[in-house]
Amino acid sequence: MGLLDLCEKYFNSSNLYEVLQIPETASEKEVKKAYHKLSLKVHPDRVSEDQKLEATEKFKVLGSIHEILSDKNKRAVYDETKSVDDDDFNVLVDKDWTVYWRHLFKKITEEDIKAYEKEYTGSQEEKDDLKQAYLTGKGDMDYITDHVQFARTEHEPRIREILNKMIKDGEIPAYKIFTHEPAKKKQKRIAKENREAKEAEELKQELGMTSGPNSLELMIRQKQQSRGQQLDSFIDNLATKYGGSNKPKGTKRKAASKTEATTKNKRRK
């Protein structure tokens, strides 16, 4: 089965750009970013055992697509013919795509996360995320703190100030659950955050983890199922900011601090 057939089988489209969910005019950086985002979801090391076989095939397909679209000559041929040389693809199939992936993306460290948080806090991007979460969650602060990066309870006064200004300016409606949140609801949120932080620290101690990159990577896996969507967004942003290729061929693995994450480090190998 050729690459385009596999694209249709696993991603319901034989168009390489549609598989990566990007326009044909996408830049090399956008191609890489899209490949990274999708490959994180199907990386064989990041799925359950019963999903591993299919995830491995999807991972190979995505790697092959990136190999083609990141090569100017191969991309030009594909753009003109909308076809792929299956002989060339058969060579790509035998490639170790895990190694290829690691060479493309460097590891994200705890320092990267802290730097990103500093830049994100107070930015227009944060305001846009707060507005979207507020509207989607209809003013529920539990929803907002669960879906906005770094929206820990310690930041609630600042977050409320931002959202109250939007309400005053007519950008968003004034939901009663936000303007008159019951004290017990907030107390439960704080208790949950403290409980998650304690569990993260206990797990860290149990596994003998340090604060290095490997610790970050293992910790974040614990958060994948419950907060997969936010994690994708978070990692996507980090990858864009800090995840460029290393000259000496570093490693990039999907990493964020569980300790940061479980104290409501929201987001998104």
Side-chain angles (χ1 to χ4, degrees):
M1 189 176 287
L3 176 60
L4 300 186
D5 294 324
L6 290 172
C7 287
E8 184 69 45
K9 176 181 178 179
Y10 291 118
F11 299 98
N12 300 314
S13 176
S14 60
N15 184 296
L16 303 189
Y17 293 101
E18 288 181 3
V19 172
L20 291 189
Q21 300 171 23
I22 54 175
E24 293 190 14
T25 55
S27 64
E28 183 178 347
K29 182 179 179 180
E30 290 170 328
V31 169
K32 182 179 178 181
K33 179 180 176 181
Y35 165 56
H36 180 248
K37 183 176 181 179
L38 288 175
S39 62
L40 283 172
K41 297 179 180 179
V42 298
H43 194 290
D45 291 344
R46 300 172 186 277
V47 298
S48 58
E49 199 61 37
D50 61 320
Q51 297 176 315
K52 196 173 290 289
L53 184 60
E54 181 172 317
T56 298
E57 294 307 308
K58 288 181 177 180
F59 190 69
K60 289 178 182 178
V61 170
L62 292 174
S64 299
I65 292 174
H66 180 265
E67 174 90 359
I68 292 169
L69 297 185
S70 62
D71 183 296
K72 290 184 178 179
N73 293 329
K74 291 180 181 178
R75 181 173 180 175
V77 171
Y78 174 75
D79 286 347
E80 183 176 349
T81 65
K82 288 297 181 290
S83 63
V84 172
D85 186 335
D86 283 336
D87 288 336
D88 189 25
F89 170 63
N90 289 333
V91 174
L92 295 178
V93 167
D94 295 329
K95 192 168 185 172
D96 189 332
W97 291 108
T98 302
V99 173
Y100 175 81
W101 194 87
R102 288 176 179 172
H103 283 176
L104 275 176
F105 306 110
K106 77 178 186 69
K107 279 187 177 179
I108 295 171
T109 67
E110 203 157 351
E111 288 69 33
D112 291 336
I113 295 170
K114 290 177 180 177
Y116 176 68
E117 178 177 8
K118 184 177 180 180
E119 181 176 317
Y120 177 81
T121 302
S123 68
Q124 184 60 47
E125 181 182 4
E126 182 192 40
K127 293 176 183 177
D128 292 341
D129 289 346
L130 286 170
K131 180 178 179 180
Q132 183 59 51
Y134 178 89
L135 292 172
T136 304
K138 298 188 182 302
D140 187 343
M141 277 300 293
D142 289 347
Y143 184 90
I144 294 169
T145 56
D146 268 346
H147 288 79
V148 176
Q149 301 169 146
F150 310 109
R152 300 184 290 274
T153 53
E154 66 192 79
H155 293 305
E156 283 195 27
R158 182 181 62 82
I159 290 172
R160 284 186 173 277
E161 184 178 348
I162 293 171
L163 292 172
N164 279 325
K165 185 178 186 305
M166 291 183 186
I167 292 173
K168 183 179 179 181
D169 293 343
E171 288 186 55
I172 54 178
Y175 291 112
K176 186 177 180 179
I177 192 64
F178 176 78
T179 58
H180 296 81
E181 184 182 41
K184 286 186 177 180
K185 190 170 182 293
K186 181 175 181 179
Q187 289 169 2
K188 286 183 179 180
R189 186 164 59 251
I190 295 174
K192 178 185 175 184
E193 182 175 292
N194 291 336
R195 185 171 61 252
E196 287 180 344
K198 182 180 179 181
E199 289 171 355
E201 187 58 35
E202 288 175 351
L203 178 61
K204 190 174 179 179
Q205 295 297 326
E206 180 184 339
L207 298 179
M209 294 181 180
T210 65
S211 59
N214 289 334
S215 170
L216 293 175
E217 179 184 349
L218 291 173
M219 281 294 182
I220 202 62
R221 290 186 190 180
Q222 307 300 318
K223 214 65 176 171
Q224 274 186 297
Q225 286 189 324
S226 61
R227 292 189 185 143
Q229 194 170 11
Q230 312 131 18
L231 179 60
D232 286 340
S233 174
F234 174 62
I235 294 300
D236 191 29
N237 288 334
L238 274 177
T240 301
K241 184 68 181 175
Y242 301 104
S245 297
N246 271 354
K247 296 294 183 186
K249 298 271 185 183
T251 305
K252 164 139 192 178
R253 306 193 48 168
K254 180 182 181 185
S257 170
K258 168 89 183 239
T259 303
E260 296 271 356
T262 52
T263 52
K264 293 300 185 275
N265 180 352
K266 307 302 180 291
R267 318 129 330 248
R268 129 159 214 307
K269 260 182 192 218

